[in-house]
Structures are given as C-alpha cells and as structure tokens.
C-alpha cells in the first residue's frame, strides 16, 4: 500500500523500437528531456549516462530507461551527460519516469510500462504542482504516440487501460502473436 502523499501513475504498453522513438520525440516536444540508461549489474559496476534520446538510452542500457523530473533537472551525481542534453545544474530531480521495454519471448509479446512515482510531502506544494503538470504532459505524449489496446482473453472478457504503438500493433495483427501483461494469461487484441 502506498504511503500517504505518494503519487503514482502507471500504464502497461506494447512498443517496438520505432514506437519508443516516437514516444520519446513526443515527450521531448513537450518537455526538455534527457533519458538515463539503466546499466545491468550492481550499482557502480557500469557508468550511467544521461542521453538526448530514448533510442540512445536503450542502446546503452537495455531494458529500461528513466526520465528525471522536473524536466531539465541536473543529472544525479556520478552520471555522465551525453552531448545534446541541456540541464539546469540548480534543478534537482524529484521524480523519475520509467519506460520499461516490451519484449517478445517464447512466441508471446510481453508488455512494457510507463510509470512515475513521487512523494508529495517530500517535494512540497509548488514542486508537487509542477510534477503533476509535467506528468500530465508525458501521458498526453503517450496518448498521442499510441492507441488503446483493448485485449480479449480466452473467455471473451475484454480488458482495457493499456496502450500499443503503431508498429507493435502492426506486428500483432500481422502475426497473431498473443499479448501478456506481467507474465499473466495470454490475450489478443479485441479490435
């Protein structure tokens, strides 16, 4: 259960790399962005970078990338800032948006996720308001770059609240590959 004042938002989604790039571009059109790569292994084993694009961050780190908020916040200590990223050294990150990559394994298309969390008491009312506005921009970009993914399970029951990119949808329609949320039952697009 979240602690009092915790603000969380999450959406499961299916994206291919071209969909990720479009989402990153849409977010970048709304907010100054820099994406942190997520290196495998223990903290400190590999250098973490703040990249200009989602694609660069995924190429560097693999399965997930992070967008520090408020937009333009300075990179955390020890993070190397790549060319093309502009940050405000006096602005510290208070929240972080996670973009977890979708994956195809064993003939099933597993979902990724766009998620954010912060604690209102930790940031104060003014920063809380700003974070809320910027998170709304991120989800507006998500809606612009994807479409709803209405899913149907084996019994015909529909599940909504998820999103799918155009390239991912084309793959699913063309191949009939089933979709999975967090390792759960396999589902198919309802429409």
């Amino acid at each position: 259960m979240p602690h009092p004042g915790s603000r969380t938002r999450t959406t499961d989604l299916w994206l291919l790399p071209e969909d990720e790039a479009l989402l990153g571009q849409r977010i970048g059109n709304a907010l100054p962005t820099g994406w942190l790569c997520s290196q495998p292994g223990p903290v400190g084993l590999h250098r973490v970078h703040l990249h200009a694009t989602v694609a660069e961050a995924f190429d560097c780190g693999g399965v997930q990338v992070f967008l520090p908020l408020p937009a333009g916040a300075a990179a955390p200590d020890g993070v190397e800032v790549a060319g093309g990223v502009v940050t405000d050294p006096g602005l510290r990150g208070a929240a972080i948006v996670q973009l977890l990559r979708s994956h195809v394994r064993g003939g099933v298309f597993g979902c990724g996720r766009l998620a954010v969390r912060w604690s209102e008491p930790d940031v104060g009312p003014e920063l809380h308001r700003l974070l809320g506005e910027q998170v709304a921009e991120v989800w507006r970009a998500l809606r612009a770059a994807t479409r709803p993914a209405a899913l149907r399970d084996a019994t015909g029951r529909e599940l909504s609240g998820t999103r799918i990119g155009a390239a991912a949808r084309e793959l699913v329609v063309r191949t009939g590959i089933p979709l999975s949320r967090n390792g759960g039952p396999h589902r198919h697009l309802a429409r």
Side-chain angles (χ1 to χ4, degrees), residues 3-61:
H3 66 318
S6 175
R7 300 293 179 248
T8 304
R9 186 163 186 181
T10 186
T11 300
D12 289 339
L13 45 78
W14 291 268
L15 304 175
L16 290 179
E18 51 266 51
D19 300 318
E20 295 164 354
L22 177 60
L23 175 59
Q25 178 184 13
R26 298 277 182 147
I27 293 170
N29 289 343
L31 302 168
T33 55
W35 294 88
L36 294 166
C37 56
S38 177
Q39 296 289 341
V43 173
L45 180 63
H46 302 286
R47 187 104 181 157
V48 175
H49 309 91
L50 186 63
H51 298 273
T53 69
V54 166
E56 291 169 1
F58 270 129
D59 285 348
C60 184

Side-chain angles (χ1 to χ4, degrees), residues 9 23 26-28 30-31 33 35 67-69 71 97-98 114-116 131-145:
R9 186 163 186 181
L23 175 59
R26 298 277 182 147
I27 293 170
L31 302 168
T33 55
W35 294 88
L67 171 66
L69 293 179
V97 176
Q98 175 203 42
L114 189 67
V116 65
L131 291 172
E133 290 169 1
Q134 291 186 351
V135 166
E137 289 293 335
V138 170
W139 260 261
R140 264 191 283 285
L142 173 66
R143 287 188 303 275

Side-chain angles (χ1 to χ4, degrees), residues 12 14-15 18 20 25 41 52 57 64 72 77-78 82 92 106 109 118 121 124 140 151 157-158 160 169 183 187:
D12 289 339
W14 291 268
L15 304 175
E18 51 266 51
E20 295 164 354
Q25 178 184 13
Q64 63 183 344
D77 291 339
R92 288 280 159 226
F109 198 176
W118 76 90
R140 264 191 283 285
L151 306 178
R157 184 173 150 245
E158 283 195 24
S160 61
R169 182 171 173 43
R187 301 175 188 274

Side-chain angles (χ1 to χ4, degrees), residues 120-188:
E120 185 177 351
D122 291 347
V123 301
E126 188 60 28
L127 187 51
H128 171 67
R129 182 193 58 73
L130 177 62
L131 291 172
E133 290 169 1
Q134 291 186 351
V135 166
E137 289 293 335
V138 170
W139 260 261
R140 264 191 283 285
L142 173 66
R143 287 188 303 275
T146 62
R147 62 188 283 178
L151 306 178
R152 181 173 290 132
D153 67 13
T155 67
R157 184 173 150 245
E158 283 195 24
L159 172 73
S160 61
T162 58
R163 307 289 300 182
I164 191 165
R169 182 171 173 43
E170 190 279 325
L171 172 74
V172 170
V173 169
R174 182 173 40 80
T175 66
I177 189 170
L179 302 163
S180 174
R181 289 181 71 193
N182 308 316
H186 298 175
R187 301 175 188 274
H188 295 276

